[in-house]
Amino acid sequence: MLFSEKILSVEPSITLELNAKAIELSKKGYDIVKLTAGEPDFSTPTEIIEAAYEAMKNGKTKYTDSKGIIELREKIVEYVEKRTNLKYGTDEVVVTNGGKQSLYNILLAMINPGDEIMVLDPSWVSYEAQIKMVGGVPVHVPLDEEEGFLPTESKLNRYYSPKTKAILINSPNNPTGVVYPKETLEIIANFAKDKEIFVISDEVYELLIYEGNHISIATIEDMKERTIIVNAFSKTWAMTGWRIGYCLGPKKLMKQIAKIQSHSTSNVNTPTQYAAIKAFDVDVYYMFKKFKDRRDYVASRLEKMNLKFLKPKGAFYYFINISEFGIEDSEFSKKLLDEAMLAVVPGSGFYKKGYIRISFATSDENLEKALDRLEKFVKKLREKK
């Protein structure tokens, strides 16, 4: 066979696919509103841009340690300790080309053919793809809206097998906006310790929490050495295109991840690393405040439409239940784009049918226009019933 069976088994990202279709229609002159991609509409703060520019002017354009420059790894360690009281060494951190590469490197370093990784659904589209790409088996654990999209002990036990290597969690969650409370994290932690498996904790939205506080599962007793944290600068500091993230975890695993990176991409773009150092000192509360205001605005509009949803406590998404309309979510999304010029992502792309995901990381003007279109579309569907 010409192509890898592992790669052929992977579906393209439905988020990027629908976003691309919306962009194509926009180029043809259609007035499309896109609520698809999870990308802040803000520009990267000027101080961060200037830090990269200064680095370039000062000759910081050469190869670096493939794990990342020591100054940035020290800053990450300092930041994580301040937020969690956990002490990591600089050799327990690897700087990567975005959070995606962190996750891929972790899976590649951890998985042998046939190893299973438990994924809590609805889940981000790339989890399954990456697990398959490295020869692992994704085991989807379906979570229920009635239970707040939170895992239970009985459900975790039901989907565990002797082949399970790790459980992958994401809090705040994409696509639901759910933030795992301490009680839920303790259930997962006790499960991981009992089964002697790892937890991969995707925490890229950790600073975008509108109610309560973020808790890393690594802070629970005896979980630091069993947890690998994935994080990135993309969402909080509006640095999606800079492609910089990092992972933290046990030294032995990080050594293998550093080896993978040294033979694949090598170091992250050097000026970007210096920009990331500056990011930690830049106040981006104005972005957080705007996201929170938008979250509340969207909730008020969806309530008026009598749509079923859980108000997100974090991230910048709404996961809306559209099962009342009796059509598949992919068909709903297609009709919405064709008839209302509004692009959203069907829940089936996140392994949860009967829902759509909308992102409120867009301008107030776009958001108002989008919700006006959704309201008219929903009203039209109900009139046909």
Side-chain angles (χ1 to χ4, degrees):
M1 182 180 287
L2 179 60
F3 302 110
S4 162
E5 291 183 5
K6 288 188 296 186
I7 302 305
L8 288 173
S9 72
V10 173
E11 296 293 329
S13 167
I14 194 167
T15 309
L16 297 180
E17 186 180 336
L18 285 167
N19 198 47
K21 183 179 179 182
I23 291 170
E24 182 184 342
L25 288 171
S26 295
K27 287 180 178 178
K28 291 180 179 178
Y30 292 96
D31 178 24
I32 305 294
V33 181
K34 299 188 296 294
L35 300 184
T36 47
E39 180 173 47
D41 56 307
F42 299 98
S43 296
T44 304
T46 303
E47 304 97 310
I48 296 173
I49 296 171
E50 289 176 348
Y53 180 50
E54 287 300 317
M56 286 185 277
K57 287 198 300 181
N58 292 328
K60 304 286 182 23
T61 57
K62 307 296 184 182
Y63 292 133
T64 74
D65 186 328
S66 61
K67 298 190 297 295
I69 57 175
I70 188 65
E71 299 94 326
L72 177 54
R73 285 183 285 133
E74 287 173 344
K75 196 75 172 178
I76 290 168
V77 166
E78 176 187 325
Y79 166 79
V80 172
E81 182 175 358
K82 182 178 179 181
R83 286 191 55 76
T84 66
N85 290 321
L86 295 174
K87 294 182 183 293
Y88 286 89
T90 55
D91 54 356
E92 295 175 299
V93 182
V94 177
V95 179
T96 60
N97 291 277
K100 271 189 177 180
Q101 194 192 20
S102 275
L103 179 60
Y104 186 81
N105 287 350
I106 292 163
L107 294 170
L108 189 58
M110 178 182 289
I111 288 177
N112 289 309
D115 283 346
E116 295 179 354
I117 304 293
M118 295 174 66
V119 180
L120 307 179
D121 290 341
S123 58
W124 182 49
V125 295
S126 290
Y127 292 154
E128 171 172 292
Q130 291 199 5
I131 292 166
K132 285 183 174 181
M133 286 165 70
V134 301
V137 178
V139 175
H140 291 276
V141 181
L143 305 182
D144 300 318
E145 182 178 2
E146 292 71 26
E147 295 175 332
F149 291 123
L150 296 171
T152 61
E153 182 180 358
S154 62
K155 191 156 282 188
L156 294 178
N157 282 316
R158 192 182 315 159
Y159 287 87
Y160 169 81
S161 89
K163 293 182 179 180
T164 303
K165 196 70 168 284
I167 180 170
L168 208 169
I169 67 173
N170 175 212
S171 175
N173 182 265
N174 173 14
T176 65
V178 167
V179 176
Y180 288 5
K182 188 174 182 181
E183 296 77 18
T184 297
L185 293 172
E186 286 175 339
I187 288 171
I188 297 168
N190 290 334
F191 172 77
K193 286 183 282 189
D194 179 58
K195 305 300 185 184
E196 297 186 342
I197 62 174
F198 287 93
V199 174
I200 303 168
S201 182
D202 180 347
E203 302 181 7
V204 298
Y205 296 97
E206 61 157 342
L207 292 180
L208 293 175
I209 290 188
Y210 314 111
E211 297 174 29
N213 297 301
H214 177 258
I215 302 171
S216 174
I217 196 167
T219 62
I220 294 175
E221 187 177 359
D222 297 328
M223 282 303 295
K224 181 172 178 283
E225 287 302 309
R226 198 175 288 281
T227 302
I228 308 98
I229 294 172
V230 174
N231 214 325
F233 295 82
S234 301
K235 314 298 182 179
T236 301
W237 288 280
M239 293 177 69
T240 52
W242 294 72
R243 306 315 303 137
I244 184 162
Y246 57 91
C247 52
L248 303 98
K251 189 185 300 184
K252 288 181 180 179
L253 181 61
M254 291 299 111
K255 185 177 180 180
Q256 300 308 309
I257 288 170
K259 181 169 65 177
I260 291 168
Q261 189 147 301
S262 71
H263 288 299
S264 55
T265 60
S266 192
N267 62 274
V268 172
N269 176 294
T270 302
T272 291
Q273 295 189 61
Y274 286 93
I277 293 173
K278 183 64 178 177
F280 286 114
D281 300 322
V282 175
D283 183 4
V284 287
Y285 181 75
Y286 65 96
M287 293 190 207
F288 170 85
K289 180 65 167 59
K290 179 56 73 173
F291 286 140
K292 187 174 187 297
D293 290 344
R294 290 172 182 169
R295 178 199 72 144
D296 295 340
Y297 169 69
V298 174
S300 67
R301 291 294 305 272
L302 295 179
E303 286 168 357
K304 288 179 181 177
M305 296 180 214
N306 290 316
L307 286 170
K308 187 180 178 185
F309 64 94
L310 293 179
K311 190 174 182 180
K313 293 184 178 181
F316 37 60
Y317 309 104
Y318 271 85
F319 204 55
I320 304 166
N321 190 324
I322 51 94
S323 58
E324 66 165 288
F325 300 104
I327 56 177
E328 291 187 359
D329 51 53
S330 56
E331 181 64 18
F332 184 97
S333 301
K334 186 177 183 300
K335 282 178 174 288
L336 192 56
L337 182 56
D338 292 341
E339 299 176 17
M341 301 292 118
L342 174 58
V344 302
V345 186
S348 52
F350 305 100
Y351 308 97
K352 192 70 173 179
K353 294 180 179 180
Y355 294 80
I356 59 170
R357 189 199 76 174
I358 65 172
S359 167
F360 54 88
T362 187
S363 69
D364 293 355
E365 180 185 0
N366 270 350
L367 212 49
E368 183 176 3
K369 188 189 293 187
L371 292 167
D372 286 346
R373 293 180 183 188
L374 180 61
E375 185 172 9
K376 289 179 182 177
F377 182 76
V378 165
K379 183 179 179 182
K380 185 178 174 182
L381 285 182
R382 285 178 176 148
E383 287 173 349
K384 287 182 178 179
K385 290 176 69 176

